[in-house]
Amino acid sequence: MARATMLLVEDDAALAELLVYHFKREDFDVRHTPDGEEALLLARERTPDIVLLDWMVEGLSGLEVCRRLRRTPETANVPIIMLTARGEEEDRVRGLETGADDYVTKPFSPRELVARVGAVLRRVRPALAGEALVYGDIEMDTVGHKVRRGGETVPLGPTEFRLLKHFLEHPGWVFSRERLLDAVWGHDSDIEARTVDVHIRRLRKAINVRDLPDVIRTVRSAGYSLDASE
């Protein structure tokens, strides 16, 4: 599985520690908070690939966190799995109607939860379920670190490879320079935001072989997107 980012919202410290252990072992990048308000801030800072959300957490309830995530454009399509001790049908329906993609009742097996998360990601984000990322005529072998466009090999430096990989995992999403810095260079990087422009130019030059259409779209005052529709 390609590395995926997870936001875990769980106020049971022992359970949270157990889940962080299991998902990190599966190569997830996990951020955890026991607080609903902080969960919204973390999701705003960096959009996760999936959210594990307990129904009863500190601050805002899980239902309200789910509702607000669905109302926010950046997180409207992020898959959400709710964790709760509430097993009644009415509660499950409320959770799903609020916008959750799946519903897991406590107690549960961590292995089963890992499998459910994988199933949801395969359904909504196929790029995160395998070793090959494909968008239009661009193919990336994430294990062999190879990229091809229109059947022709595209040589990329390490940074351009990571940048393209991030775009391929989120086709159509618009990312600001700051969010690209966080995702590709790391949250603690002291590289200036304008550095992103340099690497975008290098990536464009490399993948736009044989005068093929430019698939890296510049969105004025917003950032960049991988978009072959134009």
Side-chain angles (χ1 to χ4, degrees), residues 1-6 19-30 49 114 121 128 142 165 169:
M1 177 181 286
R3 190 168 176 80
T5 59
M6 170 182 288
L19 293 179
V20 168
Y21 168 77
H22 277 277
F23 281 101
K24 284 192 172 182
R25 192 172 66 174
E26 295 296 323
D27 201 30
F28 280 78
D29 178 3
V30 183
D49 293 311
V114 168
L121 286 176
L128 291 170
T142 61
K165 180 174 180 287
E169 290 174 345

Side-chain angles (χ1 to χ4, degrees), residues 46-65:
R46 185 177 68 179
T47 305
D49 293 311
I50 192 163
V51 176
L52 288 187
L53 177 61
D54 195 337
W55 184 301
M56 300 297 293
V57 290
E58 299 170 11
L60 292 176
S61 72
L63 278 181
E64 182 59 26
V65 172

Side-chain angles (χ1 to χ4, degrees), residues 18 60 91 94 108 124 147 168 172 178 182 187 193 199 216 222:
L18 180 66
L60 292 176
D91 292 323
R94 283 182 66 196
F108 53 79
V124 302
V147 175
L168 287 169
E178 290 74 19
D182 188 12
H187 185 67
H199 289 282
I216 305 295

